Amino acid sequence: MASSLGTAIRRKREKVSSLSMTSSSLSTDHCKSKLWNYYTKLGDAYVECKVCRKQLSSLTSTAAMREHLVRRHSLRSIGIPQTKEQPELDYHEQEGVAKRLRQAVPINDFCPSVSESQPQVIADLILEMIYRDLHPLSVVEDKGFGLLLGYLEPNVDPPSSTQLADMLWHKYTIVKQQVKCCLQSALSVVLSIESWNDHSKKSCLSITANVIDSEWRLCRYLLETQHVLPTKTDDNLTERLYLVLTEFGLSSNLVLCVVYDRSVSLTAHAQSLKDTYGWASLCCTSHVLQLCVQAGLEVPEVKEVLGAARGLVSYFQEDFKASCYLNAKLEAMNKPRLVKDTERYWISTLEMCQSLLDLKWAILSILEEQRAKNLSAQHWKLLQDLVPMLKTIWIAAAFLQEEQNASISCLMPCVHGIFTTIGQTSEGGSSVIKAVACEIRSEICRHWDMMDEGKLITNPSAVASFLDPRFKELRFLKPWARGELHTVVRNMLSQMCEPCAPHRSWIPSSCAIESCMDTLPLPVQKDKGPIVGSENVYDLLLGRDPTENMPEAHQQLENYIVEPVCKRTTDPLAWWNSQHHRFPTLARLARQYLVIPATAVKPDLAFSTVFDPLEKRRTALEAKYMDQILFLHQNKDLVEWSMKPNV
C-alpha cells in the first residue's frame, strides 16, 4: 500500500511538472512577438484584434496580423514593449477605437523604455495635424495639449516649437520639389490671386497656379502666401508674380491670364500685367455677380423692404417670448428657422427673404398675438416678386459650383441665361422689379460686354465656351459673331502650326477648257475626277477643292464644329481626354483655355455663405510659418493625387 501510494505521488509530481513546462513553453511562444500585445487567441485557429474586435486566422504566419495593424490602425512599427497578458475587458462600442487601443497595451511599473522610433512617429503626426488643421506651431506648448499627450503616451515628451519648425521646413522643401515636378508638364498656367486679412487686419496674398496635367485633370497648386506691405505698387506685384514663377521653374510665356478676387487694389495692376507680360486680367465671377446683384438691391424701394425684413428677423431673434412661440411652431411643422442676411453676400439675402415667405403664416399669427409691428402688404408682395429674380442668379451660382463647371467656359452661357431670364421675369412685374432687373442687366453688360459682341468674341471666356463640347454652339452669340469667333480660333491654330503657303486665287479660262476637251477621253483619278496633264477637269468646272490644301489644324476645327453637342452633365476635361487624339492641335488650345477658373478660389468657397472654420484658423497662423503651413495644407494631398495615373 505504501508502495502504491509512493507511486501515485511520484506520478502526480511528474504530471504537475509536465503541465508547468507546457504552460511555460506556451507562454514563451505566445509572448515572443510584440504583435500579441494587440491580439487575443481564440483557440488554435483564430485570433481577435483587441482594438477593433476583428477575427483573423492564425494558421498562417503573423504577416496578416501585422498588415492588419498597419492598414487598419496605422501602426507602422510595433515598438511597444511586451507585457504580461491581461484579462479581457468588457468594451463598449461607443467608447471608440482610441480607448481600445490604449487599454489593449497596458503599462505597468516594470515596462521598459519606449522604442526609439515612436517619439519620431508622434512628432510626425503632430506636424501633420498642424498643417492639415491649420494650427500654429505653438500648439505643442499649450497645457491642454501636453495633458492629452501625457495621458496617451506618458513616456514621450512633445517636440518643441523649434523642432517642429525644422521638420516643417524639411517637409515643405520636399513637397515643393514635388510641386515643381507636377508643373513641368503644364502647357498653360493661369494664376489666381486671393486677398485676405489676418487677425491683425494685415493684408495677405495667396498666389495659386491652375494647370491641366497630362491626364486632363484640373489642379490648383498654392505657390506662395505672403503679407503685403502698404507701400506695394503695381510694379512690385508684377515682379512678385514673375519671381514666384521663376522659383517654380515656370516661364512667364506659359501664363495666359490672372484671375483676382474682390480686392479693389488688384484692379489697378491689370494694365501693368498687360503691358509687361501680355497677361490678361479677369475678375472673380462671384465678386462680379455680387456687384451686379448689389446694384439691383440698391433700388430705394428694395432697400427699404430689406431693411424692414432684417428688423423683423432681429425681433424674433432678440425677443425671447416671440422666439419661443415661433420655434415651437417650426418644430411642430419641421421647418427651418429664420436667418438674417449678411449684406456682402447676396445669397444670404435670398435665404432671408425665402425663409420669411416660407414662415409667413407663423410670423403673422405670432405678431398678431404679440401686437408687434408687421411688414406691410406691399412689402410682402415685393419680397414675393424679388425672390424669383434672385433665384435665377442662384441657379447660375449653383451650376458654377459643380466640379465639372469650374472652368470659365461655363461663364458666358450662365451670364446670358441670367440676362435673358431676368428680362423676361420683369416684363409682367411692377415698376420696382423692372428697375431692379434694369440695374442688374446694366451691370452685367458693363462687366462682361454682353451687348458689344465685337469685344465679347475676343474675351477668353467666349473662346473657352467654344472649346467646351457642351457649349460650342455659342448660343449666347448672334450668327455673325459665331463665325467671327470661329475665325479667331482658326487664326490661333494657324499660329500654333507651321506657316502654310499662301493660297492663290485661280479662275479657269476658256482656253484651258478648250484644251481639255481636245484631249478626251480622259484618265480618271480616284476621288478627284479626270486628269488633263496636271489639271483636274472638275477643278476647271467647280474650282479647286477647298479642303485639298487646308491645314490639318483647320480640318480638325471643321470636324469639331460638326461634332454633336454633349450633355450638360458631361465633364469637358474627361471628354477631351478621350477625344484629344482626334483633334490634337485643337486639344492643345483647349488645355490652354479650359484651365481658366471662373473664380479666384474654389467655387464651393466662392459662392458659399457658410463660414469656413479653416478660414478663421489661417488668420491666426504665425507670420513666420504661415507660407509653409498653408502650402502643405493645400498641396500635400494634391501632389499625391496628381502622381497617380488617371483610372
Side-chain angles (χ1 to χ4, degrees), residues 503-576:
H503 296 277
R504 295 183 298 173
S505 59
W506 182 80
I507 302 176
S509 63
S510 59
C511 296
I513 297 177
E514 292 176 359
S515 174
C516 168
M517 298 302 295
D518 293 340
T519 58
L520 291 176
L522 304 174
V524 177
Q525 185 178 13
K526 185 178 181 182
D527 298 331
K528 290 191 176 182
I531 303 300
V532 180
S534 60
E535 301 294 340
N536 188 319
V537 174
Y538 295 161
D539 289 348
L540 296 176
L541 178 64
L542 304 175
R544 292 190 185 277
D545 187 350
T547 64
E548 185 175 347
N549 295 321
M550 181 184 294
E552 175 65 24
H554 293 181
Q555 293 184 19
Q556 295 176 23
L557 177 61
E558 299 298 327
N559 294 336
Y560 173 74
I561 292 174
V562 300
E563 190 78 10
V565 178
C566 297
K567 295 181 179 179
R568 283 196 295 267
T569 55
T570 303
D571 187 343
L573 297 184
W575 187 90
W576 276 108

Side-chain angles (χ1 to χ4, degrees), residues 83-232:
T83 58
K84 295 182 179 180
E85 189 72 21
Q86 298 291 326
E88 279 298 315
L89 300 176
D90 185 15
Y91 295 103
H92 299 285
E93 285 296 326
Q94 61 268 26
E95 291 181 346
V97 175
K99 185 175 181 180
R100 292 179 181 176
L101 180 60
R102 187 171 64 251
Q103 293 182 352
V105 189
I107 299 176
N108 52 45
D109 297 336
F110 303 100
C111 180
S113 61
V114 188
S115 64
E116 296 180 359
S117 62
Q118 194 173 4
Q120 183 60 43
V121 172
I122 293 176
D124 290 338
L125 292 175
I126 292 174
L127 178 63
E128 188 167 353
M129 178 198 71
I130 286 174
Y131 69 73
R132 286 192 183 278
D133 299 334
L134 299 184
H135 293 295
L137 296 184
S138 58
V139 68
V140 296
E141 301 172 358
D142 295 341
K143 185 176 181 180
F145 181 85
L147 291 174
L148 176 63
L149 184 62
Y151 177 71
L152 296 175
E153 296 293 342
N155 298 311
V156 176
D157 294 327
S160 64
S161 299
T162 305
Q163 292 173 329
L164 284 176
D166 294 338
M167 295 170 58
L168 177 67
W169 180 258
H170 178 69
K171 177 74 72 174
Y172 168 78
T173 304
I174 293 176
V175 177
K176 188 174 183 179
Q177 292 298 325
Q178 294 173 340
V179 171
K180 288 182 180 179
C181 294
C182 293
L183 292 174
Q184 292 305 312
S185 61
L187 185 63
S188 178
V189 177
V190 174
L191 298 179
S192 299
I193 304 179
E194 179 193 5
S195 177
W196 52 282
N197 297 326
D198 63 5
H199 66 285
S200 60
K201 302 302 180 182
K202 292 182 180 179
S203 180
C204 303
L205 284 184
S206 295
I207 303 173
T208 302
N210 301 268
V211 299
I212 295 178
D213 64 11
S214 58
E215 301 292 338
W216 287 89
R217 298 175 297 196
L218 180 61
C219 305
R220 292 174 178 256
Y221 296 102
L222 180 63
L223 302 184
E224 183 184 80
T225 302
Q226 295 292 344
H227 282 91
V228 179
L229 300 178
T231 57
K232 287 284 184 180

Side-chain angles (χ1 to χ4, degrees), residues 295-306 378-379 381-383 385-386 389 422 425-440:
L297 299 182
E298 289 295 325
V299 173
E301 293 83 356
V302 175
K303 198 171 183 180
E304 177 185 349
V305 71
L306 291 179
Q378 184 179 0
H379 285 171
K381 180 65 169 62
L382 186 53
L383 287 178
D385 294 339
L386 185 63
M389 185 174 297
I422 284 180
T425 304
S426 63
E427 287 180 357
S430 63
S431 59
V432 177
I433 293 299
K434 290 181 179 179
V436 174
C438 182
E439 289 293 334
I440 295 177

Side-chain angles (χ1 to χ4, degrees), residues 145 214 271 292 445:
F145 181 85
S214 58
Q271 192 60 40
C292 295
C445 290

Side-chain angles (χ1 to χ4, degrees), residues 363-480:
I363 292 173
L364 292 179
S365 62
I366 295 175
L367 291 178
E368 185 177 356
E369 293 175 4
Q370 298 291 319
R371 300 181 182 274
K373 186 178 179 180
N374 187 13
L375 297 180
S376 65
Q378 184 179 0
H379 285 171
W380 283 110
K381 180 65 169 62
L382 186 53
L383 287 178
Q384 190 173 357
D385 294 339
L386 185 63
V387 165
M389 185 174 297
L390 295 181
K391 270 191 175 181
T392 300
I393 309 176
W394 175 83
I395 292 172
F399 182 76
L400 293 174
Q401 285 187 70
E402 295 183 4
E403 184 178 358
Q404 70 271 18
N405 302 326
S407 171
I408 203 172
S409 63
C410 302
L411 175 60
M412 283 298 107
C414 286
V415 171
H416 179 262
I418 294 172
F419 187 86
T420 304
T421 306
I422 284 180
Q424 295 173 351
T425 304
S426 63
E427 287 180 357
S430 63
S431 59
V432 177
I433 293 299
K434 290 181 179 179
V436 174
C438 182
E439 289 293 334
I440 295 177
R441 284 161 61 95
S442 298
E443 286 296 308
I444 289 176
C445 290
R446 186 171 70 86
H447 287 284
W448 284 304
D449 299 318
M450 287 297 298
M451 304 305 294
D452 189 351
E453 295 189 335
K455 290 183 178 179
L456 184 58
I457 59 177
T458 60
N459 193 301
S461 59
V463 179
S465 295
F466 172 71
L467 296 171
D468 191 323
R470 302 171 296 173
F471 309 117
K472 65 187 183 69
E473 288 184 334
L474 305 174
R475 296 180 182 177
F476 55 88
L477 293 177
K478 293 184 175 68
W480 70 266

Side-chain angles (χ1 to χ4, degrees), residues 310-353:
R310 295 184 186 106
L312 185 59
V313 174
S314 298
Y315 169 74
F316 280 99
Q317 290 179 345
E318 297 170 1
D319 189 281
F320 179 76
K321 191 174 182 180
S323 177
C324 291
Y325 285 155
L326 181 61
N327 292 336
K329 290 179 179 288
L330 298 183
E331 290 177 2
M333 299 298 295
N334 195 22
K335 291 283 188 178
R337 297 187 178 184
L338 287 175
V339 293
K340 189 175 182 180
D341 71 333
T342 304
E343 295 189 30
R344 60 179 293 189
Y345 296 113
W346 64 269
I347 297 180
S348 65
T349 302
L350 171 62
E351 293 175 350
M352 179 186 70
C353 297

